[in-house]
Amino acid sequence: MSTRNNTDETGIASELHATYSLNAEIIIKPLFQDADPMGVVYHGNYFRFFEQARHNLMAKINYSYLDMNASGYMWPIIDTRVKYIKAIPFDHEIRVTAKLTEWEHRLRVDYIIYDNNTGERMTKAHTMQVAVDMATQEMCFVSPKLFTDKVEQWHKYGELND
């Protein structure tokens, strides 16, 4: 949570607004099947790890893929970026964090993979998705109100008040 303070004439700061970030993290221990012949996680498998973290992130605001479908929108990924900093050996515990950083016109989730034992950063990435109206198959240039309302409520209260 971050807060913005307003300082009055006495120099005493008062809280104006609290903002709760929307983020999630998971712990994963990659399996042998995730590795390439050299014993490190194959680069394509990182996207599975990102997906697991993104799934937990969206569950916090009750907007899973089934909820997206029920709301009449699909959210295809339109862009990705991955910076591989250090190889991940199979059977090595990692922590994957996901943070929603854009949501008004597109959905951008930033990820960091850390070595769960040392805290060392191993990978940095992001994905971008846009809403597509399922009835018309047209891309939306503004995220659906149902979604943005959920995000705004989370940022304001740190939870949903359904």
Side-chain angles (χ1 to χ4, degrees), residues 6-55:
N6 184 29
T7 305
D8 64 16
E9 60 277 354
T10 64
I12 298 173
S14 61
E15 185 178 301
L16 284 178
H17 182 258
T19 302
Y20 295 87
S21 64
L22 181 53
N23 49 41
E25 69 177 44
I26 58 170
I27 306 297
I28 299 173
K29 195 170 194 178
L31 305 172
F32 179 75
Q33 68 187 18
D34 295 324
D36 65 16
M38 292 184 280
V40 298
V41 172
Y42 169 68
H43 71 277
N45 285 323
Y46 285 60
F47 289 95
R48 285 190 9 268
F49 305 155
F50 302 149
E51 174 64 23
Q52 289 177 272
R54 184 173 60 241
H55 172 81

Side-chain angles (χ1 to χ4, degrees), residues 1 17-20 150-159:
M1 178 178 88
H17 182 258
T19 302
Y20 295 87
K150 288 175 179 280
V151 174
E152 295 299 331
Q153 186 177 24
W154 182 273
H155 284 303
K156 187 173 183 179
Y157 301 108
E159 62 185 10

Side-chain angles (χ1 to χ4, degrees), residues 50-145:
F50 302 149
E51 174 64 23
Q52 289 177 272
R54 184 173 60 241
H55 172 81
N56 286 7
L57 177 79
M58 299 306 282
K60 286 186 171 187
I61 59 169
N62 298 326
Y63 204 59
S64 69
Y65 284 114
L66 294 175
D67 296 319
M68 290 176 188
N69 189 34
S71 73
Y73 296 94
M74 58 181 149
W75 290 81
I77 290 180
I78 60 164
D79 189 27
T80 63
R81 168 89 165 96
V82 181
K83 182 174 182 179
Y84 302 95
I85 300 166
K86 183 176 179 184
I88 301 171
F90 83 89
D91 203 37
H92 189 85
E93 202 168 76
I94 57 173
R95 179 171 49 97
V96 183
T97 64
K99 180 177 183 179
L100 183 66
T101 56
E102 294 180 30
W103 61 90
E104 292 166 329
H105 300 283
R106 60 186 179 187
L107 192 155
R108 178 181 165 138
V109 179
D110 291 345
Y111 309 91
I112 300 177
I113 297 178
Y114 296 97
D115 181 312
N116 198 46
N117 299 320
T118 67
E120 182 179 11
R121 186 167 57 179
M122 303 179 87
T123 304
K124 184 177 180 182
H126 73 257
T127 56
M128 282 192 244
Q129 297 169 260
V130 293
V132 173
D133 185 305
M134 292 173 66
T136 64
Q137 297 294 303
E138 292 182 8
M139 183 173 71
C140 303
F141 293 103
V142 175
S143 295
K145 185 170 175 12

